[in-house]
Amino acid sequence: MTFIKKHIPIAIILIFHVVGFVGFIVKPNYFRPLSPLNLMLSAGLVLLMCNQTKWQFYGSIAAVAVLGFFIEVLGVKTELIFGTYYYGNSLGYRWLSVPLLIGLNWAILLYSTAQFSKFKNVWVNIVFGAVLMVLLDFFMEQSASKFDFWYWKNAHIPLQNYIAWFLISLGLNFLFQKHLSQKPNLTAKAFYLIELVFFACLYFFV
C-alpha cells in the first residue's frame, strides 16, 4: 500500500471533522443533522483499512455493536446504568429510544482504542483500552446537549456515567480486544485521536 493510499482515509476523516467543527460554530442547526453521515463515513473508512479476513474480527465488531446498543437501551429505560438521560435527534433514527448508530459508535471506538493497547500484559491492555474510552467519553459528554446528541437530567453528568463507561469498556475489551487488536490499523488510531481533539476543541472553544 503506497503512502498516499494509506493516508487518504485519514485525510478524509480529518477534513470532515474540521468542517464539522467549523460548522458547529458557524451554523450548528445545519450541521447537527449531518453527524450520522460523519460517523458512518468514518466507520466505513476505518473498517475499509482494517486488513482483516478472519470472521472473528467482524463477529467481534458486530457483537460489540449489538451489545453496546442494548446496553444503551437498558441505560435509557432503567436509568440504572449511566444515570438519567435521553437522546436527541442529531444522531439519526432511534429504536427503543436509542439511535441505531450508537451501537456502531461503541464498536468503532472500542476497536480504535484497542489499536493503542499493545503492551505485553493482556490485563494492562484491557485496562488501558477502557481508560481511553472514558477519556473520550468525558469530552463527548461536555458538548452532547449543545448539539442535540443526548441530555442529562438537570444538565448534570453523574460520576456514575463514567464508572459505567469504564466497567462496560473493561468487559467488552476482556471479551473482544484479542480479536480487535491483532492487525495494526493506522486509520483507526487516527480516528480516535481526531475524535478526541474534535470533542476537546468543542469543550474548550464552543
Side-chain angles (χ1 to χ4, degrees):
M1 185 181 297
T2 65
F3 178 87
I4 294 177
K5 287 183 178 179
K6 188 176 181 180
H7 289 82
I8 283 178
I10 297 174
I12 294 173
I13 293 173
L14 178 60
I15 290 169
F16 267 70
H17 279 76
V18 170
V19 171
F21 176 73
V22 174
F24 277 173
I25 295 175
V26 177
K27 212 167 186 179
N29 289 337
Y30 176 78
F31 277 84
R32 278 191 306 229
L34 298 177
S35 297
L37 175 63
N38 192 1
L39 175 57
M40 288 188 291
L41 174 70
S42 298
L45 290 171
V46 167
L47 292 176
L48 181 67
M49 302 301 290
C50 71
N51 193 32
Q52 291 278 356
T53 56
K54 293 184 177 180
W55 70 266
Q56 289 93 335
F57 170 80
Y58 295 101
S60 295
I61 289 288
V64 173
V66 171
L67 287 172
F69 176 80
F70 282 106
I71 288 170
E72 294 280 353
V73 170
L74 287 174
V76 170
K77 298 294 185 182
T78 68
E79 303 179 355
L80 297 176
I81 300 176
F82 304 101
T84 304
Y85 71 110
Y86 65 93
Y87 281 98
N89 298 313
S90 291
L91 293 176
Y93 177 77
R94 285 175 292 179
W95 182 48
L96 302 175
S97 302
V98 174
L100 288 177
L101 284 178
I102 286 297
L104 176 64
N105 188 59
W106 270 99
I108 295 303
L109 289 182
L110 199 84
Y111 171 46
S112 297
T113 55
Q115 287 292 305
F116 290 94
S117 301
K118 300 295 184 181
F119 302 99
K120 292 182 179 180
N121 188 295
V122 64
W123 295 107
V124 173
N125 287 330
I126 290 171
V127 172
F128 187 66
V131 169
L132 291 181
M133 289 285 285
V134 175
L135 176 63
L136 179 56
D137 179 60
F138 171 81
F139 287 109
M140 287 195 298
E141 298 292 353
Q142 312 311 311
S143 301
S145 61
K146 294 180 184 178
F147 303 108
D148 194 34
F149 292 160
W150 57 82
Y151 300 86
W152 290 98
K153 182 180 180 181
N154 300 324
H156 172 68
I157 307 166
L159 178 62
Q160 172 187 351
N161 170 69
Y162 301 113
I163 295 174
W165 258 77
F166 178 77
L167 293 177
I168 292 167
S169 299
L170 203 67
L172 292 175
N173 273 306
F174 174 77
L175 292 172
F176 302 110
Q177 191 182 82
K178 176 182 177 181
H179 299 303
L180 297 179
S181 62
Q182 288 179 343
K183 292 187 177 181
N185 186 341
L186 184 62
T187 303
K189 285 185 175 181
F191 170 69
Y192 173 83
L193 294 174
I194 291 169
E195 283 273 288
L196 183 63
V197 172
F198 175 76
F199 283 105
C201 287
L202 288 178
Y203 173 49
F204 288 115
F205 300 113
V206 179

